[in-house]
Amino acid sequence: MLGFLQRPVVVTADINLNVVALTAVGLLSRLWRLSYPRAVVFDEVYYGQYISFYMKRIFFLDGSGPPLGHMLLALGGYLGGFDGNFLWNRIGAEYSSNVPVWSLRLLPALAGALSVPMAYQIVWELRFSHCAAMGAALLVLIENALITQARLMLLESVLIFFNLLAVLSYLKLCNSQKHGPFSLSWWFWLTLTGVACSCAVGIKYMGVFTYLLVLGVAAVHAWHLIGDRTLSNVCVLCHLLARAVALLVIPVIMYLLFFYVHLVLLCRSGPHDQIMSSAFQASLEGGLARITQGQPLEVAYGSQVTLRNVFGKPVPCWLHSHQNTYPMMHDVAAPLSPHSQEVSCYIDYNISMPAQNLWRLDIVNRESSTEVWKTILSEVRFVHVNTSAILKLSGAHLPDWGFRQLEVVGEKLSPGYHESMVWNVEEHRYGRSQEQKERELELHSPTQMDLSRNLSFMARFSELQWRMLTVRSDDSEHKYSSTPLDWVTLDTNIAYWLHPTTSAQIHLLGNIVIWVSASLATVVYALLLCWYLLRRRRSICDLPEDSWLRWVLAGALCAGGWAVNYLPFFLMEKTLFLYHYLPALTFQILLLPVVLQHISDHLCRSQLQRSLFSALVVAWYSCACHVFNTLRPLTYGDKSLSPGELRALRWKESWDILIRKHQ
Amino acid sequence: MLCATSRFLAATALRAQPRGRGPALRCRRRELHFPGHPEPPLCDFLTGQLGRPSVPAGRRAILRRGRMPPAVGGGLAGSELRARRGRCGSQAARAVSPDVAVEAAARSHKQPAPGSRHFEAAGRWALLALVTLLSFATRFHRLDEPQHICWDETHFGKMGSYYINRTFFFDVHPPLGKMLIGLAGYLSGYDGTFSFQKPGDKYEHHNYMGMRGFCASLGSLLVPFAYLTVLELSKSLPAALLTAALLTFDTGCLTLSQYILLDPILMFFIMAAMLSMVKYNSCADRPFSAPWWFWLSLTGINLAGALGVKFVGLFIIVQVGWNTISDLWHLFGDLSLSLVTVGKHLTARILCLIVLPLALYTATYAVHFMVLNKSGPGDGFFSSAFQARLSGNNLHNASIPEYLAYGSVITVKNLRMAIGYLHSHRHLYPEGIGARQQQVTTYLHKDYNNLWIIKKHNTNSDPLDPSFPVEFVRHGDIIRLEHKETSRNLHSHYHEAPLTRKHYQVTGYGINGTGDSNDFWRIEVVNRKFGNRIKVLRSRIRFIHLVTGCVLGSSGKVLPKWGWEQLEVTCTPYLKETLNSIWNVEDHINPKLPNISLDVLQPSFPEILLESHMVMIRGNNGLKPKDNEFTSKPWHWPINYQGLRFSGINDTDFRVYLLGNPVVWWLNLLSIALYLLSGSIIAVAMQRGARLPPEVEGLSQVLLRGGGQLLLGWMLHYFPFFLMGRILYFHHYFPAMLFSSMLTGVLWDTLLRLCAWSLASSSLARGIHTVGIMSLLLGAAYSFYLFHPLAYGMVGPLAQDPRSPMAGLRWLESWDF
């Protein structure tokens, strides 16, 4: 126990200057003139409004991703002392002086800068040479699209950072597995893997792909562990449990934690309230809570209530009637949904028809059959006694005679439970006295205890998560949207910003040499892998076992990372943009030096060939540097180019570079 | 797209295996007599055949390399039995005796005769016959009821009639299923005159039994197919019997088989493909023999059938493909085989599993287009060039000038289906909606207001003046389109379109053809070089507005009353290539040009094939659920959450309700969970190197390999639905349900055997297997007795009424019968 007293305390610093240098140039490239342009650039207009909401602690709903990313950006604003007062309405709008642009953009830029040394570390941990590792980092360094994306208040660079961190820490874990399982560093890297994965998922749902990749690789390794007969059963069980906790339990807890912080921060009602259920709204400060606070819990005969439809689509709505009648005679079929019954308010219109105005109340979420109808909490259905039709929101808009309001029908076919048939009481007033005046007085004075503060976190989380996943944005077209096929060959770009007077502009435009060679490297990798696999199957081993394993692991993580971050987009129906490809591209770039080193080590037969190959690689890299330098004005937007120069930069017909007609 | 994918999948598909000559004989014998099983007497026979020391060793090597084709598995079980009997005969006898007992129970009419192999084989045939007979009996019982159209019969019966009447129609599914229905109707004397208007219409004198009978017979064959598949995979008669019972007594399968639907046909092909795949796996030890070729090509044929009925046939193609790839991979790793042999294997599979199915699939389309040669309700979905093929269509045998020239009067049709012709009329856009100029819309019907004149942008002279030479319009020309009836020019400007934000409004502008520079459009042919002439019907053209650079398109949105509920036309600034902005010229009048017959322009067969696939895929994607409608979700299906009303609603109606037999379905659900549990326990134990007793190892191989294939089938036929955006129905689950039932059969038989084995010392063990299987069989039968009115029809009060015969059977509130 006290052994450390007997020996001197020695600290051995082991500094890899490569990493230090890479970090420095990374920071330089990403942080240089960070607060330029002092104007809203592209999607900053979108993320900015949420930052303002955080600053003002107003609840909002954003379907594009979980809250961690927004919160990190908001953290930048908080540290910079942002008060949230800025109208985020238009790309190109000048920031007012109260917006701390530098600190808002700092976090993504730091993440982008740190990706450079991490690329180095990953390739090194994959057991490739320092040279290859250096190459990977230098490629990430001069990738224009990554720089553009990192220098602005956007989330992709943070996502890439956590993706890389997850892979890196998993590799560290694997490498420490051999000498010291269950050591301190082993636990550290294991936990960090889980944390990084959950952060990646917490920033964008897309992070799930990398998480699944890491899980998959971990599962294969765990399977090998199970097969390792030198380990005892208990030892294997411990390994599996540790992994399960770190890679499954921790991410779930972290994910919940993000939402917890999010909900704690956003406690005031705001513009998106209406999408949420009455109970959720009542749990926010202001808004509905101001009305419902102190209203009686249990609905009694004689209560005055508003009934809100639980489904809330196409828009949130309440059961409503007004003095106008349906334009036709009282018909049985509903006006727009011929399969359902019409619902109307009925007093004796002198039409000889028996009144059919009895409805049976059915509390859907009751726990016992004796439950009382409660305000806000109870979800109820109204079943028409005569026809057993159920009161339902059909979703259709009535024509002009119905003031474009939504149609309510009696659903006869009643195929099971659907939220559009379920209603809940929102406002509730109840007065006991019979006298009109006293009654009104009673109705307007709060009577009973506060009921809706006790909505549990899990209930709020699940509702919020569900709404986030199902909320639909309708802007399906965008000038710069693209398809996944455009990305591999960089057939598209996005104009992010244009200087109001000069032709200085920022584009999301990649370093085309790197893009093309990374794609080529993937193809080469796939072909070589197939070739080796087939040969090995016929018992011809071209590679020594250890370099074969290295080659496979590098492919699984880098090519696999590219595939899982790219291919799913073919199945997605949402509007896609070039920046969706950046996480995949990063993995692809990591594969590039791996393939190059492999070719040099195993396919170049003689020293001469090897030297020639190295010379080629150097020439190719200088070419990439040249492209970086040429495209730099479009990446940093710091230099106004003449129309001629801009036209010269339009290397592809499909690139949209903005050229002012009247200078 | 789908076609391409299927080709890829099939390309990745292949399988087989060779092996010593010894077992080959066995294989053939088994083929001749009956699909093999290691029942005790047969085991004796096998043991006799296999009594050579070298064979088991070879087999173990196979096992370790991770492949156990069922034939080898059978051999394995035999050798295990032999080994065991060598060690302790009595135990072996005990372990296998439950089978005998079950068999005895299952066919009480026949005494088990341990000595006689022929007798045994005859017994198996009898059992198969019994299973088939029972299946046919349940499916054909009350087949004629109800005597009115049920559910989707209204579609598929109608489409069958279209084939008999040879009128062209459009459907989102490939044609084979409906063609077979039509053929069945034709052969059974149905004349195609019934209109199949809507569900509930009485058939009266029309002969519908032929079509229903055809579907019912294919549906009945599912049971013997499942029986044989399980027998082949597990080598266990009780497992096969259990599967057969589950399917026979499932009210859902029964209901789905009794009507004129595509599903029985689809499931028939899926199961047939699965059975032939399993069979040819069994022949793997005798590659290139006659039965091997037979089963291999039969697999291919059935794959074509499955894909030809519905696109979900793709899933079974994936399964066969996966099986083939892993098989080829093992062959390739077998160093005793030369590369030439492996190449032969590969070629055989390419021929039988890719080329043959593709040829057959294409052939069904050829027949489809050949039979349907009259104009009908499907015309409008297809391009103008396509319509020219159909007799009765106004484009048929028409003759028009081939190339567009200035002065031509034309109609312009949008390439996206159900958009229609570019149209204008003497009505202005109302106040407040863009500029108050003449409306331009698209209109689905033929009308004089669809006619436009092509003019040069800079002159207003009449190009039809005989003194001018004919000048053709070329790709890249700047033109003006003048509306013939109103003499206004097609015009666009920086005003927002009426419905689609961010798009520009398109109007008719100018007086007698004189407008401004906003009337100029550049005409471009998609994928062509500049200067090419423009062909009627065939050229896909775009109109690009010269001033704003936007593209003329239709958004497909319906305009309000002021626009006569025609579709909106906009000019979109987004230069994305979508069909909404691509047009073709359909009618073409130009007296100065010679007319040619449209036959010249008719598309070739590959073009027709491609077009019909595009239209089908688009149609499928168009089937989107509405927000406020209750829709069936994939997670509802395995738990039998809710059925489908086939017929009748009220208590006076004859009601048929498609719902799985809950006992069977919930047993299936439980079995999947149990399978995953037991499978992973065994897999982990094997990975840890646990030494399993030979009996257990044999059984766990059956569970992992045979059960694994079935589980894969279930997953492939179920999980993809979670990714589908189109509207889904309960009946989509039934192919998956077949696999799930087969898995249940294999699982329970194996588990009970394992149970019996672990209790081998007690006298209880003897009965466990028998009692277990018997109780499952009886449970399925009894639940069928309870629920059979769902399928055979219910009249009288609904189930919530205590007087109803179904009272008390509404176990879930979501079932409404």
Side-chain angles (χ1 to χ4, degrees):
Chain A
M1 277 300 281
L2 295 172
F4 71 92
L5 288 177
Q6 289 155 12
R7 260 172 269 138
V9 180
V10 178
V11 178
T12 321
D14 189 9
I15 298 172
N16 185 338
L17 283 182
N18 280 357
V19 176
V20 175
L22 284 174
T23 314
V25 287
L27 285 171
L28 183 70
S29 67
R30 265 68 175 176
L31 293 179
W32 183 70
R33 294 189 68 186
L34 188 58
S35 46
Y36 174 86
R38 224 190 134 73
V40 179
V41 181
F42 196 59
D43 266 358
E44 288 188 341
V45 71
Y46 175 79
Y47 292 114
Q49 49 177 329
Y50 298 125
I51 295 175
S52 286
F53 280 132
Y54 275 112
M55 294 301 120
K56 296 178 169 174
R57 309 193 61 180
I58 290 175
F59 175 79
F60 67 86
L61 181 98
D62 173 31
S64 72
L68 178 66
H70 300 347
M71 288 196 296
L72 285 177
L73 293 180
L75 179 69
Y78 175 75
L79 295 177
F82 182 38
D83 54 6
N85 288 325
F86 183 75
L87 190 62
W88 306 88
N89 60 353
R90 157 179 94 77
I91 296 173
E94 188 99 0
Y95 281 123
S96 52
S97 59
N98 65 328
V99 184
V101 183
W102 191 81
S103 64
L104 279 171
R105 288 181 184 158
L106 178 64
L107 217 85
L110 280 181
L114 290 180
S115 302
V116 176
M118 269 205 311
Y120 174 89
Q121 294 269 330
I122 289 178
V123 176
W124 171 241
E125 291 292 336
L126 282 169
R127 296 281 178 255
F128 284 83
S129 67
H130 278 291
C131 197
M134 210 54 195
L138 289 177
L139 286 173
V140 173
L141 179 73
I142 59 161
E143 170 48 57
N144 301 61
L146 290 179
I147 297 177
T148 309
Q149 200 72 10
R151 286 171 45 80
L152 300 169
M153 201 170 73
L154 305 171
L155 288 178
E156 271 69 27
S157 66
V158 192
L159 172 68
I160 291 170
F161 171 79
F162 282 114
N163 279 347
L164 294 183
L165 184 63
V167 170
L168 176 63
S169 41
Y170 185 75
L171 283 172
K172 291 262 191 195
L173 172 80
C174 285
N175 292 335
S176 64
Q177 170 82 19
K178 283 159 202 154
H179 9 104
F182 302 111
S183 65
L184 198 63
S185 71
W186 186 88
W187 279 109
F188 173 75
W189 291 120
L190 181 60
T191 322
L192 192 60
T193 312
V195 170
C197 285
S198 61
C199 288
V201 179
I203 284 164
K204 295 217 154 196
Y205 294 122
M206 217 189 130
V208 164
F209 301 135
T210 311
Y211 179 40
L212 288 178
L213 177 76
V214 172
L215 273 188
V217 175
V220 171
H221 285 165
W223 187 245
H224 290 158
L225 265 180
I226 294 177
D228 185 350
R229 315 239 165 110
T230 58
L231 298 175
S232 71
N233 283 345
V234 178
C235 182
V236 168
L237 201 66
C238 288
H239 270 292
L240 294 183
L241 272 181
R243 280 166 171 73
V245 168
L247 299 182
L248 296 174
V249 179
I250 289 185
V252 171
I253 293 175
M254 291 283 293
Y255 190 76
L256 289 177
L257 193 70
F258 302 148
F259 272 86
Y260 185 77
V261 175
H262 176 76
L263 283 172
V264 165
L265 286 179
L266 304 180
C267 56
R268 301 192 184 137
S269 84
H272 299 168
D273 279 19
Q274 303 272 296
I275 305 167
M276 310 304 290
S277 70
S278 306
F280 193 98
Q281 290 182 44
S283 70
L284 298 169
E285 279 172 34
L288 185 65
R290 213 174 297 158
I291 301 168
T292 58
Q293 213 161 22
Q295 66 185 13
L297 177 66
E298 292 176 351
V299 179
Y301 288 99
S303 288
Q304 297 182 1
V305 295
T306 57
L307 285 169
R308 184 185 199 264
N309 192 281
V310 168
F311 191 47
K313 277 178 197 166
V315 285
C317 54
W318 291 263
L319 194 62
H320 175 95
S321 182
H322 41 233
Q323 287 214 320
N324 301 62
T325 53
Y326 283 119
M328 56 199 104
M329 283 300 287
H330 187 92
D331 194 359
V332 182
L336 299 180
S337 313
H339 298 296
S340 310
Q341 285 170 199
E342 182 190 83
V343 177
S344 60
C345 280
Y346 186 76
I347 49 171
D348 199 348
Y349 285 117
N350 270 339
I351 305 164
S352 54
M353 197 174 283
Q356 304 191 330
N357 40 20
L358 294 183
W359 298 82
R360 184 162 46 79
L361 182 75
D362 176 19
I363 301 178
V364 180
N365 59 345
R366 62 180 180 270
E367 274 152 17
S368 67
S369 55
T370 57
E371 187 145 325
V372 182
W373 184 7
K374 290 184 188 134
T375 313
I376 294 185
L377 302 176
S378 293
E379 298 185 340
V380 297
R381 293 200 302 182
F382 296 97
V383 186
H384 193 228
V385 171
N386 299 62
T387 57
S388 63
I390 298 173
L391 193 68
K392 178 190 168 179
L393 183 73
S394 77
H397 283 270
L398 291 172
D400 288 333
W401 57 257
F403 306 102
R404 304 250 134 220
Q405 295 175 353
L406 292 170
E407 185 197 37
V408 169
V409 299
E411 172 72 57
K412 277 183 293 190
L413 299 169
S414 73
Y417 172 85
H418 192 269
E419 282 193 331
S420 61
M421 296 172 182
V422 184
W423 306 78
N424 70 288
V425 170
E426 198 166 274
E427 290 176 48
H428 176 208
R429 295 284 180 267
Y430 182 71
R432 281 166 203 284
S433 61
Q434 297 297 316
E435 284 296 319
Q436 189 63 29
K437 275 193 176 163
E438 284 175 42
R439 188 179 158 87
E440 270 176 17
L441 213 66
E442 259 181 290
L443 289 177
H444 288 101
S445 59
T447 44
Q448 279 192 17
M449 45 77 171
D450 184 15
L451 64 106
S452 42
R453 274 310 163 97
N454 52 1
L455 194 62
S456 71
F457 164 69
M458 280 316 283
R460 298 180 77 199
F461 160 73
S462 48
E463 182 183 342
L464 180 58
Q465 177 71 84
W466 180 246
R467 301 273 170 184
M468 281 167 70
L469 288 175
T470 50
V471 72
R472 269 187 218 152
S473 50
D474 48 11
D475 52 327
S476 55
E477 253 183 329
H478 191 282
K479 186 157 193 262
Y480 289 105
S481 66
S482 46
T483 61
L485 279 180
D486 299 335
W487 301 342
V488 184
T489 45
L490 194 60
D491 276 341
T492 171
N493 70 321
I494 306 178
Y496 270 16
W497 175 78
L498 176 66
H499 193 280
T501 50
T502 71
S503 65
Q505 48 192 305
I506 296 181
H507 283 261
L508 182 71
L509 190 54
N511 187 327
I512 191 153
V513 171
I514 298 183
W515 285 54
V516 171
S517 17
S519 303
L520 269 181
T522 315
V523 174
V524 170
Y525 180 86
L527 290 179
L528 276 178
L529 186 74
C530 284
W531 174 246
Y532 289 144
L533 273 176
L534 289 176
R535 304 251 300 168
R536 283 174 72 86
R537 193 71 196 155
R538 298 299 287 185
S539 293
I540 307 164
C541 290
D542 303 283
L543 301 179
E545 194 60 22
D546 65 323
S547 54
W548 165 248
L549 288 178
R550 245 178 10 200
W551 173 246
V552 171
L553 184 64
L557 286 173
C558 300
W562 170 79
V564 296
N565 280 297
Y566 174 57
L567 300 181
F569 283 107
F570 284 97
L571 298 175
M572 287 188 197
E573 284 177 2
K574 62 175 196 168
T575 320
L576 297 174
F577 294 94
L578 180 63
Y579 58 73
H580 284 125
Y581 185 60
L582 294 182
L585 176 77
T586 315
F587 281 108
Q588 214 180 17
I589 291 178
L590 296 185
L591 189 66
L592 194 48
V594 167
V595 170
L596 289 180
Q597 192 193 338
H598 180 84
I599 293 175
S600 156
D601 286 356
H602 298 282
L603 300 182
C604 293
R605 295 284 159 91
S606 66
Q607 192 59 43
L608 178 70
Q609 279 184 358
R610 222 160 279 166
S611 319
L612 264 177
F613 185 72
S614 310
L616 272 179
V617 169
V618 169
W620 161 79
Y621 185 75
S622 354
C623 186
C625 284
H626 175 69
V627 170
F628 163 72
N629 203 35
T630 318
L631 292 178
R632 203 169 46 84
L634 298 181
T635 304
Y636 290 91
D638 56 337
K639 199 169 131 199
S640 178
L641 297 178
S642 70
E645 286 172 308
L646 287 172
R647 233 168 264 130
L649 279 181
R650 198 167 164 223
W651 295 337
K652 283 203 177 194
E653 189 78 345
S654 50
W655 287 2
D656 189 5
I657 289 171
L658 309 173
I659 299 167
R660 284 185 187 275
K661 279 179 186 160
H662 319 288
Q663 278 264 323
Chain B
M1 272 307 275
L2 263 177
C3 178
T5 321
S6 81
R7 198 175 305 144
F8 164 70
L9 290 167
T12 51
L14 302 163
R15 116 141 276 193
Q17 51 232 138
R19 206 81 6 198
R21 292 288 125 185
L25 180 65
R26 210 166 11 103
C27 175
R28 194 199 301 135
R29 288 190 97 103
R30 219 183 290 151
E31 287 309 329
L32 288 176
H33 286 272
F34 191 76
H37 13 244
E39 299 313 320
L42 191 64
C43 284
D44 286 348
F45 157 63
L46 287 177
T47 319
Q49 288 279 314
L50 293 171
R52 294 180 204 108
S54 64
V55 179
R59 228 172 277 119
R60 290 200 175 277
I62 295 160
L63 261 180
R64 219 165 293 124
R65 273 210 297 278
R67 60 197 276 251
M68 196 201 63
V72 182
L76 178 88
S79 74
E80 304 301 8
L81 284 174
R82 179 181 56 79
R84 185 165 50 180
R85 189 160 293 180
R87 248 182 281 135
C88 48
S90 60
Q91 185 190 344
R94 259 207 307 283
V96 292
S97 57
D99 303 357
V100 184
V102 173
E103 274 171 60
R107 41 191 171 110
S108 48
H109 61 282
K110 185 179 172 296
Q111 291 289 321
S116 158
R117 220 162 53 228
H118 291 292
F119 212 44
E120 198 60 43
R124 296 216 161 74
W125 280 112
L127 202 56
L128 177 64
L130 182 73
V131 163
T132 316
L133 202 69
L134 194 62
S135 171
F136 269 87
T138 49
R139 267 65 178 163
F140 274 82
H141 177 62
R142 300 185 69 181
L143 184 63
D144 55 334
E145 301 233 1
Q147 294 172 355
H148 57 244
I149 302 175
C150 284
W151 197 53
D152 270 0
E153 283 190 334
T154 175
H155 298 308
F156 301 120
K158 200 190 290 165
M159 290 167 189
S161 311
Y162 285 140
Y163 279 105
I164 296 174
N165 299 325
R166 310 191 67 172
T167 43
F168 188 76
F169 68 96
F170 163 72
D171 184 36
V172 295
H173 303 300
L176 179 64
K178 289 151 300 190
M179 249 153 51
L180 291 176
I181 290 175
L183 182 68
Y186 179 73
L187 293 180
S188 63
Y190 165 62
D191 53 4
T193 50
F194 188 61
S195 66
F196 283 96
Q197 203 98 62
K198 60 175 192 301
D201 288 0
K202 291 259 182 294
Y203 282 115
E204 287 162 358
H205 62 278
H206 293 281
N207 184 355
Y208 62 98
M209 280 304 284
M211 292 184 275
R212 274 199 189 166
F214 168 72
C215 290
S217 12
L218 293 193
S220 309
L221 284 174
L222 294 179
V223 179
F225 284 179
Y227 172 88
L228 291 176
T229 308
V230 170
L231 199 60
E232 198 68 46
L233 284 175
S234 72
K235 308 287 162 200
S236 159
L237 207 52
L241 270 177
L242 180 56
T243 305
L246 290 179
L247 290 181
T248 313
F249 296 137
D250 177 48
T251 46
C253 283
L254 173 52
T255 313
L256 207 57
S257 302
Q258 282 197 314
Y259 301 95
I260 308 170
L261 300 174
L262 293 186
D263 302 81
I265 310 174
L266 171 73
M267 292 197 289
F268 168 83
F269 282 117
I270 289 179
M271 286 302 281
M274 183 71 191
L275 177 62
S276 22
M277 181 187 95
V278 167
K279 283 282 189 189
Y280 106 85
N281 280 352
S282 306
C283 297
D285 47 4
R286 236 168 58 89
F288 308 114
S289 63
W292 187 88
W293 278 112
F294 174 73
W295 290 116
L296 186 62
S297 38
L298 199 60
T299 311
I301 292 169
N302 285 316
L303 289 185
L307 190 66
V309 177
K310 276 190 182 189
F311 284 126
V312 290
L314 207 60
F315 303 146
I316 188 72
I317 294 183
V318 175
Q319 172 148 33
V320 171
W322 176 253
N323 179 59
T324 312
I325 287 176
S326 62
D327 183 26
L328 276 178
W329 186 244
H330 289 299
L331 285 177
F332 189 69
D334 185 345
L335 294 182
S336 65
L337 295 179
S338 70
L339 279 180
V340 178
T341 321
V342 176
K344 276 189 199 158
H345 274 285
L346 180 68
T347 320
R349 281 156 183 82
I350 289 175
L351 275 181
C352 293
L353 298 179
I354 298 175
V355 177
L356 177 67
L358 266 186
L360 288 175
Y361 182 73
T362 319
T364 58
Y365 277 89
V367 175
H368 173 74
F369 292 123
M370 223 137 66
V371 173
L372 302 181
N373 58 6
K374 290 184 200 160
S375 160
D379 293 15
F381 290 95
F382 287 80
S383 67
S384 318
F386 184 94
Q387 292 179 30
R389 299 176 54 254
L390 302 167
S391 73
N393 189 297
N394 60 351
L395 291 172
H396 186 66
N397 282 342
S399 56
I400 53 177
E402 188 175 12
Y403 291 105
L404 228 53
Y406 286 101
S408 292
V409 178
I410 56 171
T411 61
V412 183
K413 189 178 184 225
N414 195 284
L415 239 66
R416 169 144 282 176
M417 66 187 202
I419 295 263
Y421 302 93
L422 190 68
H423 177 100
S424 185
H425 41 229
R426 282 189 199 280
H427 296 274
L428 306 184
Y429 284 103
E431 199 78 58
I433 295 175
R436 226 173 123 66
Q437 296 171 1
Q438 184 166 308
Q439 296 173 13
V440 174
T441 63
T442 53
Y443 186 51
L444 268 170
H445 303 277
K446 304 207 169 177
D447 179 316
Y448 283 114
N449 274 327
N450 298 343
L451 294 175
W452 300 82
I453 309 170
I454 298 195
K455 296 204 166 165
K456 298 198 115 179
H457 71 287
N458 44 9
T459 60
N460 205 14
S461 56
D462 183 13
L464 293 186
D465 192 327
S467 58
F468 288 104
V470 173
E471 191 175 348
F472 288 108
V473 182
R474 288 170 195 278
H475 172 65
D477 279 6
I478 313 288
I479 58 152
R480 203 154 45 83
L481 271 185
E482 187 181 312
H483 189 238
K484 184 158 183 281
E485 295 294 303
T486 61
S487 298
R488 296 204 193 275
N489 293 328
L490 188 73
H491 177 99
S492 182
H493 44 218
Y494 289 112
H495 284 272
E496 198 173 69
L499 301 177
T500 312
R501 289 174 54 223
K502 296 183 185 171
H503 287 198
Y504 303 133
Q505 185 191 27
V506 176
T507 65
Y509 180 77
I511 295 167
N512 288 332
T514 315
D516 63 13
S517 62
N518 271 332
D519 301 347
F520 299 158
W521 302 82
R522 191 168 65 243
I523 186 167
E524 286 187 359
V525 185
V526 178
N527 297 333
R528 282 290 179 284
K529 288 201 196 81
F530 277 90
N532 278 8
R533 288 186 292 183
I534 292 163
K535 254 189 190 175
V536 289
L537 298 187
R538 301 299 294 278
S539 290
R540 299 149 58 95
I541 53 185
R542 302 205 295 173
F543 296 97
I544 297 177
H545 192 240
L546 211 61
V547 175
T548 60
C550 61
V551 185
L552 184 75
S554 173
S555 66
K557 296 176 186 163
V558 182
L559 292 171
K561 278 253 169 60
W562 57 256
W564 309 97
E565 286 163 356
Q566 296 172 358
L567 305 182
E568 183 198 37
V569 168
T570 65
C571 195
T572 159
Y574 309 125
L575 305 175
K576 297 273 144 45
E577 194 126 312
T578 67
L579 281 182
N580 291 52
S581 54
I582 300 181
W583 308 79
N584 72 325
V585 175
E586 189 168 296
D587 298 298
H588 182 204
I589 307 157
N590 191 333
K592 281 163 81 177
L593 290 175
N595 285 356
I596 57 142
S597 165
L598 272 183
D599 297 343
V600 182
L601 299 178
Q602 276 189 13
S604 64
F605 179 68
E607 282 172 311
I608 297 178
L609 198 63
L610 190 71
E611 181 179 346
S612 57
H613 276 84
M614 298 310 285
V615 174
M616 276 190 284
I617 289 166
R618 232 178 301 138
N620 251 321
N621 291 339
L623 297 172
K624 287 271 156 65
K626 290 195 193 101
D627 249 356
N628 284 37
E629 261 171 25
F630 176 84
T631 45
S632 188
K633 304 268 176 355
W635 64 265
H636 292 166
W637 303 339
I639 56 176
N640 210 14
Y641 178 75
Q642 189 167 49
L644 258 175
R645 279 210 191 92
F646 265 41
S647 156
I649 300 172
N650 298 324
D651 46 6
T652 49
D653 296 338
F654 184 92
R655 301 188 307 277
V656 175
Y657 191 66
L658 175 74
L659 184 75
N661 179 341
V663 173
V664 171
W665 283 52
W666 293 343
L667 180 72
N668 281 346
L669 201 61
L670 175 74
S671 307
I672 289 171
L674 265 182
Y675 178 82
L676 291 178
L677 188 73
S678 55
S680 29
I681 290 176
I682 293 174
V684 167
M686 286 167 77
Q687 177 78 358
R688 285 299 293 162
R691 297 188 133 270
L692 299 177
E695 297 88 342
V696 179
E697 190 165 338
L699 287 175
S700 49
Q701 286 302 331
V702 168
L703 206 59
L704 288 185
R705 307 247 171 266
Q709 282 197 343
L710 297 174
L711 185 75
L712 179 72
W714 177 74
M715 292 198 296
L716 281 176
H717 285 86
Y718 178 44
F719 288 126
F721 286 103
F722 283 93
L723 298 176
M724 284 190 198
R726 64 161 275 171
I727 190 161
L728 298 172
Y729 297 100
F730 178 50
H731 70 100
H732 289 153
Y733 183 65
F734 277 84
M737 185 267 170
L738 297 178
F739 284 94
S740 168
S741 302
M742 291 195 279
L743 183 65
T744 307
V746 173
L747 176 87
W748 284 96
D749 176 61
T750 318
L751 280 192
L752 286 170
R753 274 168 201 263
L754 279 174
C755 229
W757 171 82
S758 62
L759 295 172
S761 53
S762 83
S763 57
L764 193 73
R766 195 179 294 255
I768 282 185
H769 186 257
T770 324
V771 173
I773 296 283
M774 280 308 287
S775 52
L776 287 173
L777 286 178
L778 289 177
Y782 180 66
S783 61
F784 177 66
Y785 167 73
L786 287 180
F787 284 96
H788 76 270
L790 291 180
Y792 292 134
M794 306 164 278
V795 193
L798 300 172
Q800 50 265 56
D801 193 326
R803 288 168 298 153
S804 159
M806 301 304 287
L809 288 176
R810 205 170 152 217
W811 296 347
L812 288 186
E813 256 190 55
S814 49
W815 299 346
D816 27 30
F817 48 78

